[in-house]
Amino acid sequence: MTLHLLLGDCLQVLPTLPAGSHDLVVTSPPYNLGIAYRTYDDRSSRAEFLDWCQQWAAEVKRVLTPDGSFFLNVGAAPSNPLFPHQVLLALTDELFVLQNTFHWIKSITVQTRSGESISAGHFKPINSKRYVNDCHEYVFHLTKTGDVPLDRRGAGVPYQDKSNIARWGHTGGQDLRCRGNTWFIPYETINSRDKERPHPATFPVALVEQCVRLHGKGEETRLLDPFLGIGSSAVAAKRMGLAHFTGIELDDHYLAVAKERLETLL
């Protein structure tokens, strides 16, 4: 595996990468919600922020192969619900085509056939008379053309009703169906946020692994994360044995934590 963990501003580092050098990008940029990062100032005007997003996204498009996929994780605050859609509109104006929209479900309650209610996952409760708890984020699947093939079953799930395997010809006799666009991926339980998750905004390793499976190139995948944070995407790449990974991070402490996480996998 070729592994590059690069310290610096993505707007300065991305232009140094060769065009078409990566076929998959999975990332989550700052949300401009005033999150307390160590180095990055997460407060600017909306116009300035969207212009900045267009700048780094243009570089992402340049380094992406023609059949590449860009999975963009964006969340919102209940008081700022349009934010993910404003980012999406900025990136699909001239740069990318929105091919799929996924909902990353962090916490959910479902009712079984027997009537039992089961709650699973983690969420940050809010104290409000106006808003409900926010238990999901978006993952926008962006491509250059809008017609990039995916391995739908690579990220699939078994049929609950096994009779459907023979009933539907498209199954090919396999007990595996497309998972769809709702992904229940909870955070891993931790004992100490300062020690185990010293970053104010992370996504689970399993979220990246799901994108890699859906992308469908297996170990030949060349994955890029221009906002590496503490390295969840790098850990996913290492666990899945990907051919190539590049991560860019502005903060030296977060990058050091990412490297420590990778060392524990050796």
Side-chain angles (χ1 to χ4, degrees):
M1 177 184 184
T2 303
L3 183 67
H4 297 296
L5 301 184
L6 308 175
L7 177 64
D9 187 328
C10 69
L11 284 181
Q12 297 176 357
V13 178
L14 281 170
T16 68
L17 303 181
S21 57
H22 294 77
D23 56 85
L24 177 62
V25 177
V26 181
T27 199
S28 183
Y31 294 168
N32 200 39
L33 298 176
I35 295 175
Y37 296 102
R38 280 174 41 91
T39 303
Y40 176 76
D41 183 3
D42 195 38
R43 289 191 183 276
S44 61
S45 72
R46 183 56 50 90
E48 290 174 332
F49 179 78
L50 294 178
D51 179 69
W52 174 73
C53 286
Q54 289 177 325
Q55 291 180 53
W56 59 256
E59 282 299 314
V60 165
K61 182 178 181 180
R62 185 186 64 83
V63 303
L64 201 62
T65 57
D67 63 344
S69 284
F70 172 22
F71 289 90
L72 176 67
N73 166 225
V74 185
S79 60
N80 192 9
L82 292 179
F83 171 75
H85 311 289
Q86 290 172 327
V87 173
L88 178 64
L89 288 173
L91 299 194
T92 55
D93 184 22
E94 297 180 354
L95 295 172
F96 288 100
V97 176
L98 176 64
Q99 187 164 322
N100 289 283
T101 298
F102 299 94
H103 301 269
W104 166 27
I105 311 300
K106 302 177 181 180
S107 175
I108 193 170
T109 298
V110 297
Q111 190 172 43
T112 67
R113 291 178 178 180
S114 63
E116 179 186 8
S117 291
I118 299 176
S119 296
H122 306 274
F123 64 92
K124 183 178 181 180
I126 61 174
N127 183 17
S128 172
K129 293 183 178 180
R130 294 186 294 162
Y131 307 119
V132 298
N133 291 328
D134 191 8
C135 300
H136 98 293
E137 292 189 11
Y138 294 96
V139 178
F140 298 123
H141 173 222
L142 304 167
T143 61
K144 292 184 177 182
T145 62
D147 60 0
V148 172
L150 298 174
D151 185 2
R152 289 156 39 98
R153 290 185 184 175
V157 294
Y159 283 93
Q160 183 175 15
D161 186 346
K162 304 303 181 184
S163 65
N164 288 330
I165 301 172
R167 182 183 304 132
W168 295 337
H170 68 266
T171 68
Q174 287 186 289
D175 184 13
L176 201 64
R177 66 168 178 83
C178 173
R179 183 182 297 264
N181 62 358
T182 53
W183 296 351
F184 172 58
I185 304 176
Y187 282 108
E188 295 180 1
T189 301
I190 59 176
N191 296 316
S192 171
R193 183 176 182 89
D194 290 339
K195 293 181 179 179
E196 299 176 65
R197 198 181 293 155
H199 189 283
T202 62
F203 49 53
V205 173
L207 180 68
V208 185
E209 293 176 334
Q210 183 76 348
C211 295
V212 173
R213 295 188 188 100
L214 191 62
H215 182 53
K217 294 189 181 296
E219 294 182 354
E220 298 304 312
T221 302
R222 295 169 294 166
L223 173 61
L224 167 67
D225 185 349
F227 300 97
L228 181 63
I230 58 173
S232 293
S233 53
V235 171
K238 186 71 175 181
R239 290 203 313 203
M240 301 183 80
L242 302 190
H244 183 96
F245 176 81
T246 302
I248 304 170
E249 174 51 44
L250 180 65
D251 187 276
D252 59 350
H253 176 66
Y254 295 152
L255 188 64
V257 173
K259 291 178 179 178
E260 291 176 2
R261 293 178 73 190
L262 289 171
E263 290 174 358
T264 64
L265 299 178
L266 299 178

